[in-house]
């Protein structure tokens, strides 16, 4: 079936939803305000396939920017089903990746970005050294430089014009620290992740020819999760789409903006959708959650947005579990009582269908320890995970492990997908067809000879690192930090807490079917599960103690995001003497609705 036939066939499903169909039929700039479970990813991918087929002539294409690598992988999978693979014509990735690969790397020298020769992305250790030196030069004293990192990052991302009085006068100490930090990075021949969009925005503002070069390659810009992407991306959109002529198709939800601490500003999406030259479409049907969960989610948000469960949706159930004692005791109750009752009520439920969400990673430690005591395998998606789930290299290695543990037989994943992702990871070192063929040949031989799930993980990783990865890393400026993550994990597999881990167990981290999902509420964004257990929802945790008005609003949105991950059952666990104000409100309003 041709690509055109694939998206036309898929588009027939959109006709039944007036909002989705309006987005699909849009002709100019379009913003889709999409509530939870509203089918926004399906709408975005089918619309993108249509625009590539009908509106853009090859070799021109489209750039699709999203919040993180997890979202990018989901979009890639959906587009692959429509016959579209990432490549020269379609960019799919984060705003950092777009900035680096489409603007900074190809144009740094000619656009006079002030970068040293052979610069690359700093590792965490290199970034730490640069901050220490900058701190000593500007702030001084006996404080810990790392304590300034978070605030420094917010300052960099919030005030884009370094020539403005706002930059110099809002916080002179921070302005001086940022400038010294970036100078120290350059002295090391490095840039960091915050540099990528900042350098790209400045270059686009300074060089009209660069704007035209990006437009020539990508006449269409698609943005997913717009509310999370911050001022730098918004400045790019304003310039490329409303000055140069790129066509914009953006999707987002102001109510799901939960990353204020990284520089997200939900009002930017609202401002965009309010423009006279932008068509705004709202998606209000929730295809994910049971009807009672949809109703209760409105109480969780504290606003009636008019969302409705899709026709034929199951009812869904919300359970409240007040607990006594410490979080360790709450976690024991969770696995002694709550989870077994769920499993009895829902026969056929797999562990991977259950997610346990909490406000902070340290609360998840109590859950992880209790899960181990009660014999439940888990996958964590927080700062205490085995390794960052956002790491492209580690996720690629997970897929390679799955292939070696039976995927070669079942076709899940297919080898050509491993090869394609590998080419994207190590593309800088694979510039010629002979190098690409040699990479694929060596990868196949290495994995084929190690098709044994009982192999010690440290052996498998060390051999792949030696044979496949290490020869390529020196030529790859974008994966230095990820290579450091791999080296640290291999050390843990040799002498640390993962020393008994097998290849099969590592592969299981990738598919997750036999593991309960443990995640912070923030890291659960964009995901869905049959059963969600929100754990540790106490006043002082969500929201935190003595919150500002804006902090309360963001905490409520975070509560709402967790609430709307659940399809069938939602469980809320909290200390009975100090429930979160959001929990008490939902409980009260549900009780009123029954009367």
């Amino acid at each position: 079936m041709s690509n055109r036939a694939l998206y036309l066939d898929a588009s027939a499903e959109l006709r039944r939803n007036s909002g989705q169909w309006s987005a699909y039929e849009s002709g100019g700039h379009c913003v889709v305000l999409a509530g939870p479970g509203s089918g926004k990813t399906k709408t975005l991918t089918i619309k993108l396939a249509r625009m590539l087929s009908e509106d853009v002539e090859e070799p021109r294409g489209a750039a699709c920017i999203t919040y993180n690598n997890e979202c990018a992988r989901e979009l890639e999978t959906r587009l692959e089903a429509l016959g579209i693979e990432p490549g020269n014509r379609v960019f799919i990735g984060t705003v950092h990746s777009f900035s680096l690969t489409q603007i900074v790397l190809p144009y740094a020298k000619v656009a006079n970005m002030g970068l040293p020769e052979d610069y690359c992305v700093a590792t965490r250790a290199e970034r730490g050294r640069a901050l220490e030196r900058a701190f000593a030069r500007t702030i001084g004293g006996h404080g810990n430089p790392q304590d300034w990192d978070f605030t420094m990052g917010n300052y960099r991302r919030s005030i884009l014009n370094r020539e403005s009085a706002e930059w110099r006068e809002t916080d002179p100490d921070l302005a001086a620290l940022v400038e010294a930090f970036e100078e120290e990075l350059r002295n090391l021949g490095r840039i960091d992740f915050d540099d990528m969009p900042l350098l790209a925005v400045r270059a686009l503002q300074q060089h009209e020819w660069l704007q035209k070069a990006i437009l020539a390659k990508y006449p269409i810009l698609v943005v997913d999760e717009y509310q999370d992407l911050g001022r730098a991306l918004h400045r790019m959109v304003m310039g490329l789409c409303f000055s140069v002529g790129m066509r914009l198709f953006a999707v987002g939800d102001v109510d799901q903006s939960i990353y204020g601490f990284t520089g997200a500003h939900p009002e930017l999406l609202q401002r965009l959708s309010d423009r006279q030259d932008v068509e705004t479409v709202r998606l209000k049907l929730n295809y994910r959650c049971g009807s009672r969960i949809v109703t209760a989610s409105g109480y969780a948000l504290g606003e009636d947005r008019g969302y409705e469960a899709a026709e034929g949706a199951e009812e869904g159930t919300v359970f409240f579990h007040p607990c006594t004692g410490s979080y360790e005791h709450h976690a024991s109750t969770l696995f002694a009582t709550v989870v077994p009752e769920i499993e009895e009520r829902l026969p056929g439920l797999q562990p991977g269908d259950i997610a346990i969400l909490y406000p902070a990673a340290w609360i998840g430690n109590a859950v992880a320890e209790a899960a181990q005591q009660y014999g439940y395998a888990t996958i964590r998606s927080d700062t205490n995970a085995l390794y960052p789930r956002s790491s492209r290299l580690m996720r690629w290695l997970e897929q390679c492990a799955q292939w070696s543990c039976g995927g070669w037989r079942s076709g899940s994943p297919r080898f050509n997908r491993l090869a394609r992702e590998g080419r994207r990871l190590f593309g800088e070192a694979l510039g010629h067809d002979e190098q690409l063929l040699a990479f694929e040949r060596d990868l196949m031989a290495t994995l084929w000879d190690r098709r044994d799930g009982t192999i010690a993980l440290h052996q498998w990783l060390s051999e792949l690192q030696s044979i496949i990865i290490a020869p390529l890393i020196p030529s790859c400026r974008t994966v230095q930090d990820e290579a450091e993550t791999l080296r640290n994990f291999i050390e843990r597999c040799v002498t640390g807490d993962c020393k008994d881990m097998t290849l099969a167990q590592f592969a299981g981290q990738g598919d997750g079917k036999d593991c309960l999902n443990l995640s912070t509420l923030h890291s659960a964004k964009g995901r869905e599960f049959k059963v969600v257990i929100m754990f540790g929802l106490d006043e002082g945790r969500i929201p935190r103690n003595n919150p500002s008005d804006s902090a309360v609003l963001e905490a409520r949105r975070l509560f709402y995001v967790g609430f709307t991950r659940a399809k069938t059952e939602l469980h809320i666990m909290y200390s009975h003497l100090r429930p979160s104000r959001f929990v008490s409100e939902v409980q009260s309003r549900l009780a009123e609705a029954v009367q």
Side-chain angles (χ1 to χ4, degrees):
M1 187 180 292
S2 69
N3 291 359
R4 182 178 175 85
L6 286 170
Y7 84 77
L8 287 174
D9 188 51
S11 70
E13 299 178 24
L14 304 183
R15 285 183 178 272
R16 297 191 289 268
N17 182 309
S18 60
Q20 291 179 343
W21 188 251
S22 294
Y24 179 74
E25 289 281 87
S26 63
H29 298 312
C30 181
V31 170
V32 180
L33 300 178
S38 59
K40 60 103 173 171
T41 304
K42 176 167 71 172
T43 305
L44 184 154
T45 50
I46 297 173
K47 175 63 172 178
L48 176 56
R50 181 183 189 180
M51 290 189 293
L52 285 168
S53 177
E54 300 180 15
D55 302 335
V56 183
E57 291 187 11
E58 294 190 46
R60 305 177 81 194
C64 183
I65 296 175
T66 191
Y67 180 69
N68 58 30
N69 289 323
E70 293 283 336
C71 295
R73 273 188 288 272
E74 172 67 14
L75 291 174
E76 287 177 5
T77 300
R78 300 274 191 118
L79 286 167
E80 190 174 16
L82 296 173
I84 298 170
E85 294 186 0
N88 291 332
R89 194 172 179 232
V90 183
F91 170 88
I92 302 172
T94 65
V95 66
H96 296 85
S97 178
F98 177 79
S99 300
L100 181 65
T101 64
Q102 306 301 311
I103 300 174
V104 178
L105 284 175
Y107 299 111
K109 181 172 268 188
V110 68
N112 299 313
M113 294 186 194
L115 300 181
E117 292 287 337
D118 299 323
Y119 66 91
C120 64
V121 180
T123 65
R124 284 187 294 275
E126 290 167 339
R127 197 178 178 283
R129 287 199 297 273
L131 180 55
E132 287 175 6
R133 293 169 184 168
F135 180 83
R137 286 172 49 190
T138 56
I139 308 298
H142 300 292
N144 183 353
Q146 301 306 318
D147 292 340
W148 289 70
D149 192 18
F150 178 80
T151 308
M152 179 185 73
N154 270 340
Y155 202 76
R156 291 173 82 191
R157 292 185 292 266
S158 297
I159 307 174
L160 301 185
N161 184 1
R162 298 287 178 86
E163 306 302 319
S164 67
E166 181 185 17
W167 171 260
R168 296 189 303 274
E169 298 171 7
T170 301
D171 193 321
D173 287 341
L174 277 178
L177 179 62
V178 169
E179 291 170 1
F181 169 70
E182 291 177 353
E183 184 180 337
E184 292 294 343
L185 278 179
R186 302 301 180 265
N187 290 340
L188 292 171
R190 301 292 185 263
I191 63 173
D192 73 346
F193 281 94
D194 278 341
D195 270 321
M196 297 173 190
L198 296 177
L199 288 166
V201 166
R202 285 181 212 139
L204 287 168
Q205 288 177 324
Q206 293 168 3
H207 302 289
E208 185 178 351
W209 61 263
L210 179 54
Q211 299 172 25
K212 292 179 178 178
I214 300 301
L215 174 65
K217 188 174 184 179
Y218 300 122
I220 291 175
L221 177 63
V222 176
V223 183
D224 188 24
E225 304 289 3
Y226 195 100
Q227 75 283 349
D228 293 331
L229 292 167
R231 293 192 187 279
L233 183 279
H234 186 67
R235 186 71 59 84
M236 279 190 215
V237 167
M238 290 299 103
L240 290 172
C241 297
F242 298 102
S243 296
V244 180
M246 233 182 201
R247 177 178 167 190
L248 176 67
F249 187 85
V251 180
D253 182 5
V254 172
D255 294 331
Q256 295 187 71
S257 179
I258 58 173
Y259 297 110
F261 61 92
T262 66
H265 296 274
E267 70 275 7
L268 299 178
L269 173 60
Q270 191 62 56
R271 196 182 304 164
L272 183 66
S273 70
D274 289 341
R275 289 179 62 102
Q276 293 297 312
D277 51 356
V278 170
E279 178 183 358
T280 296
V281 175
R282 297 181 183 274
L283 304 185
K284 292 193 172 184
L285 280 181
N286 186 322
Y287 293 94
R288 175 190 301 149
C289 306
S291 56
R292 282 179 56 82
I293 297 174
V294 172
T295 299
S297 70
Y299 306 151
L301 182 61
E303 301 281 353
D304 182 6
R305 301 295 192 214
Y307 294 132
E308 299 177 2
E311 185 178 352
E314 58 185 301
E315 185 174 62
T317 315
V318 181
F319 298 85
F320 294 88
H321 303 279
C323 300
T324 59
S326 64
Y327 286 137
E328 287 75 16
H329 187 263
H330 296 192
S332 181
T333 301
L334 170 62
F335 292 107
T337 305
V338 177
V339 172
E341 289 177 351
I342 292 171
E343 292 172 328
E344 184 177 348
R345 250 191 328 269
L346 302 173
L349 190 74
Q350 293 185 309
D353 294 326
I354 302 175
I356 304 167
L357 314 181
Y358 32 82
W362 68 266
I363 297 175
N365 293 342
V367 178
E369 291 169 9
Q372 186 175 21
Q373 292 170 7
Y374 282 85
Y376 288 93
T378 61
I379 294 178
R380 295 188 70 164
S381 299
D382 57 33
T383 54
N384 291 331
L386 287 175
Y387 40 80
R389 302 299 294 169
S390 60
S391 169
R392 294 177 302 148
L393 177 58
M394 296 305 299
R395 294 304 297 270
W396 179 68
L397 287 168
E398 285 177 0
Q399 293 178 339
C400 290
Q402 291 170 39
W403 190 88
S404 294
C405 291
W408 62 274
R409 185 185 296 110
S410 66
S412 180
R414 292 181 296 168
F415 179 78
N416 66 351
R417 182 168 186 173
L418 302 182
R420 184 176 70 239
E421 182 63 23
R423 291 195 300 270
R424 293 178 65 194
L425 270 170
F426 307 114
E428 285 186 273
L430 302 172
H432 305 293
D433 290 344
E434 296 83 0
Q435 293 171 311
L436 288 169
L437 289 171
F439 168 75
E440 293 183 14
R441 183 176 61 247
D442 292 345
L443 179 63
M444 170 62 82
T446 303
L447 296 181
W448 186 262
D449 291 342
R450 292 161 180 80
R451 291 169 296 131
D452 181 356
T454 65
I455 294 176
L457 180 59
H458 72 82
Q459 176 187 339
W460 186 84
L461 286 174
S462 297
E463 291 173 352
L464 252 73
Q465 183 191 45
S466 174
I467 299 169
I468 303 295
I469 299 171
L472 302 175
I473 288 297
S475 301
C476 296
R477 290 179 283 182
T478 63
V479 291
Q480 301 291 326
D481 192 47
E482 300 210 30
E484 184 179 75
T485 297
L486 173 58
R487 288 192 295 270
N488 292 338
F489 184 61
I490 290 176
E491 287 181 15
R492 290 174 62 186
C493 292
V494 174
T495 60
D497 56 335
C498 301
K499 64 182 179 181
D500 296 323
M501 201 169 186
T502 65
L503 180 62
Q505 290 172 320
F506 180 65
Q509 294 286 309
D511 63 50
K513 293 178 182 177
D514 298 324
C515 300
L516 298 173
N517 297 278
L518 273 55
S519 172
T520 58
L521 290 163
H522 282 100
S523 295
K525 175 82 162 38
R527 306 177 71 187
E528 59 182 40
F529 308 91
K530 287 186 179 178
V531 177
V532 167
I533 302 164
M534 297 172 72
F535 183 93
L537 296 195
D538 297 340
E539 193 71 12
R541 305 289 174 236
I542 181 168
R544 295 183 177 180
N545 290 319
N546 304 313
S548 64
D549 291 344
S550 62
V552 171
L553 288 174
E554 180 152 320
R556 183 184 278 279
R557 293 196 295 265
L558 182 61
F559 179 64
Y560 172 70
V561 164
F563 215 95
T564 53
R565 303 308 95 195
K567 297 180 182 179
T568 303
E569 290 190 3
L570 174 67
H571 296 257
I572 300 176
M573 300 187 71
Y574 55 93
S575 298
H576 81 288
L577 292 179
R578 51 189 178 96
S580 165
R581 66 188 73 179
F582 308 136
V583 173
S584 298
E585 183 177 342
V586 170
Q587 200 168 16
S588 174
R589 294 193 64 179
L590 283 173
E592 291 173 3
V594 172
Q595 295 175 357

